[in-house]
PDB file of all heavy atoms in Angstrom:
ATOM      1  N   SER B 214      -5.373 -10.644 -19.787  1.00  0.00           N
ATOM      2  CA  SER B 214      -6.480 -11.017 -18.908  1.00  0.00           C
ATOM      3  C   SER B 214      -5.873 -11.586 -17.652  1.00  0.00           C
ATOM      4  O   SER B 214      -4.794 -12.172 -17.673  1.00  0.00           O
ATOM      5  CB  SER B 214      -7.405 -12.048 -19.566  1.00  0.00           C
ATOM      6  OG  SER B 214      -6.698 -13.226 -19.866  1.00  0.00           O
ATOM      7  N   VAL B 215      -6.553 -11.419 -16.568  1.00  0.00           N
ATOM      8  CA  VAL B 215      -6.056 -11.922 -15.294  1.00  0.00           C
ATOM      9  C   VAL B 215      -6.507 -13.361 -15.115  1.00  0.00           C
ATOM     10  O   VAL B 215      -7.707 -13.641 -15.080  1.00  0.00           O
ATOM     11  CB  VAL B 215      -6.576 -11.064 -14.121  1.00  0.00           C
ATOM     12  CG1 VAL B 215      -6.136 -11.668 -12.790  1.00  0.00           C
ATOM     13  CG2 VAL B 215      -6.066  -9.639 -14.249  1.00  0.00           C
ATOM     14  N   GLN B 216      -5.576 -14.274 -15.027  1.00  0.00           N
ATOM     15  CA  GLN B 216      -5.891 -15.677 -14.833  1.00  0.00           C
ATOM     16  C   GLN B 216      -5.814 -15.997 -13.340  1.00  0.00           C
ATOM     17  O   GLN B 216      -4.747 -16.211 -12.786  1.00  0.00           O
ATOM     18  CB  GLN B 216      -4.908 -16.558 -15.629  1.00  0.00           C
ATOM     19  CG  GLN B 216      -4.918 -16.288 -17.128  1.00  0.00           C
ATOM     20  CD  GLN B 216      -6.263 -16.611 -17.751  1.00  0.00           C
ATOM     21  OE1 GLN B 216      -6.920 -17.576 -17.365  1.00  0.00           O
ATOM     22  NE2 GLN B 216      -6.678 -15.805 -18.707  1.00  0.00           N
ATOM     23  N   LEU B 217      -6.959 -16.015 -12.703  1.00  0.00           N
ATOM     24  CA  LEU B 217      -6.982 -16.264 -11.268  1.00  0.00           C
ATOM     25  C   LEU B 217      -6.799 -17.742 -10.983  1.00  0.00           C
ATOM     26  O   LEU B 217      -7.281 -18.600 -11.731  1.00  0.00           O
ATOM     27  CB  LEU B 217      -8.319 -15.810 -10.680  1.00  0.00           C
ATOM     28  CG  LEU B 217      -8.610 -14.309 -10.738  1.00  0.00           C
ATOM     29  CD1 LEU B 217     -10.027 -14.074 -10.235  1.00  0.00           C
ATOM     30  CD2 LEU B 217      -7.634 -13.536  -9.897  1.00  0.00           C
ATOM     31  N   PRO B 218      -6.100 -18.067  -9.902  1.00  0.00           N
ATOM     32  CA  PRO B 218      -6.011 -19.460  -9.488  1.00  0.00           C
ATOM     33  C   PRO B 218      -7.411 -20.023  -9.256  1.00  0.00           C
ATOM     34  O   PRO B 218      -8.332 -19.304  -8.867  1.00  0.00           O
ATOM     35  CB  PRO B 218      -5.226 -19.378  -8.168  1.00  0.00           C
ATOM     36  CG  PRO B 218      -4.465 -18.099  -8.264  1.00  0.00           C
ATOM     37  CD  PRO B 218      -5.356 -17.162  -9.028  1.00  0.00           C
ATOM     38  N   SER B 219      -7.577 -21.331  -9.490  1.00  0.00           N
ATOM     39  CA  SER B 219      -8.906 -21.937  -9.421  1.00  0.00           C
ATOM     40  C   SER B 219      -9.550 -21.780  -8.061  1.00  0.00           C
ATOM     41  O   SER B 219     -10.764 -21.598  -7.951  1.00  0.00           O
ATOM     42  CB  SER B 219      -8.817 -23.424  -9.778  1.00  0.00           C
ATOM     43  OG  SER B 219      -7.936 -24.098  -8.883  1.00  0.00           O
ATOM     44  N   ASN B 220      -8.755 -21.829  -6.987  1.00  0.00           N
ATOM     45  CA  ASN B 220      -9.348 -21.704  -5.659  1.00  0.00           C
ATOM     46  C   ASN B 220      -9.895 -20.308  -5.414  1.00  0.00           C
ATOM     47  O   ASN B 220     -10.836 -20.118  -4.657  1.00  0.00           O
ATOM     48  CB  ASN B 220      -8.335 -22.067  -4.568  1.00  0.00           C
ATOM     49  CG  ASN B 220      -7.182 -21.090  -4.491  1.00  0.00           C
ATOM     50  OD1 ASN B 220      -6.637 -20.695  -5.506  1.00  0.00           O
ATOM     51  ND2 ASN B 220      -6.807 -20.700  -3.287  1.00  0.00           N
ATOM     52  N   ILE B 221      -9.325 -19.282  -6.102  1.00  0.00           N
ATOM     53  CA  ILE B 221      -9.858 -17.935  -5.997  1.00  0.00           C
ATOM     54  C   ILE B 221     -11.152 -17.829  -6.796  1.00  0.00           C
ATOM     55  O   ILE B 221     -12.140 -17.254  -6.343  1.00  0.00           O
ATOM     56  CB  ILE B 221      -8.842 -16.901  -6.512  1.00  0.00           C
ATOM     57  CG1 ILE B 221      -7.575 -16.936  -5.653  1.00  0.00           C
ATOM     58  CG2 ILE B 221      -9.438 -15.506  -6.538  1.00  0.00           C
ATOM     59  CD1 ILE B 221      -7.794 -16.463  -4.225  1.00  0.00           C
ATOM     60  N   LEU B 222     -11.167 -18.427  -8.008  1.00  0.00           N
ATOM     61  CA  LEU B 222     -12.358 -18.367  -8.840  1.00  0.00           C
ATOM     62  C   LEU B 222     -13.541 -19.034  -8.152  1.00  0.00           C
ATOM     63  O   LEU B 222     -14.675 -18.582  -8.254  1.00  0.00           O
ATOM     64  CB  LEU B 222     -12.079 -19.056 -10.183  1.00  0.00           C
ATOM     65  CG  LEU B 222     -11.158 -18.300 -11.144  1.00  0.00           C
ATOM     66  CD1 LEU B 222     -10.793 -19.193 -12.317  1.00  0.00           C
ATOM     67  CD2 LEU B 222     -11.820 -17.028 -11.630  1.00  0.00           C
ATOM     68  N   GLN B 223     -13.272 -20.101  -7.453  1.00  0.00           N
ATOM     69  CA  GLN B 223     -14.341 -20.816  -6.770  1.00  0.00           C
ATOM     70  C   GLN B 223     -14.880 -20.041  -5.588  1.00  0.00           C
ATOM     71  O   GLN B 223     -15.960 -20.333  -5.089  1.00  0.00           O
ATOM     72  CB  GLN B 223     -13.821 -22.186  -6.298  1.00  0.00           C
ATOM     73  CG  GLN B 223     -13.501 -23.126  -7.445  1.00  0.00           C
ATOM     74  CD  GLN B 223     -12.725 -24.333  -6.993  1.00  0.00           C
ATOM     75  OE1 GLN B 223     -12.455 -24.508  -5.806  1.00  0.00           O
ATOM     76  NE2 GLN B 223     -12.361 -25.188  -7.929  1.00  0.00           N
ATOM     77  N   ASN B 224     -14.126 -19.028  -5.135  1.00  0.00           N
ATOM     78  CA  ASN B 224     -14.545 -18.243  -3.978  1.00  0.00           C
ATOM     79  C   ASN B 224     -14.573 -16.756  -4.300  1.00  0.00           C
ATOM     80  O   ASN B 224     -14.243 -15.922  -3.474  1.00  0.00           O
ATOM     81  CB  ASN B 224     -13.583 -18.500  -2.801  1.00  0.00           C
ATOM     82  CG  ASN B 224     -13.640 -19.928  -2.298  1.00  0.00           C
ATOM     83  OD1 ASN B 224     -14.529 -20.307  -1.557  1.00  0.00           O
ATOM     84  ND2 ASN B 224     -12.678 -20.728  -2.743  1.00  0.00           N
ATOM     85  N   GLN B 225     -15.011 -16.421  -5.521  1.00  0.00           N
ATOM     86  CA  GLN B 225     -14.941 -15.029  -5.941  1.00  0.00           C
ATOM     87  C   GLN B 225     -15.915 -14.141  -5.181  1.00  0.00           C
ATOM     88  O   GLN B 225     -15.800 -12.922  -5.221  1.00  0.00           O
ATOM     89  CB  GLN B 225     -15.183 -14.921  -7.443  1.00  0.00           C
ATOM     90  CG  GLN B 225     -16.509 -15.518  -7.919  1.00  0.00           C
ATOM     91  CD  GLN B 225     -16.621 -15.452  -9.418  1.00  0.00           C
ATOM     92  OE1 GLN B 225     -16.345 -14.425 -10.019  1.00  0.00           O
ATOM     93  NE2 GLN B 225     -17.026 -16.551 -10.043  1.00  0.00           N
TER      94      GLN B 225
END
Side-chain angles (χ1 to χ4, degrees):
S214 61
V215 176
Q216 301 297 323
L217 295 175
S219 59
N220 66 316
I221 298 293
L222 288 171
Q223 293 168 3
N224 295 280
Q225 57 184 314

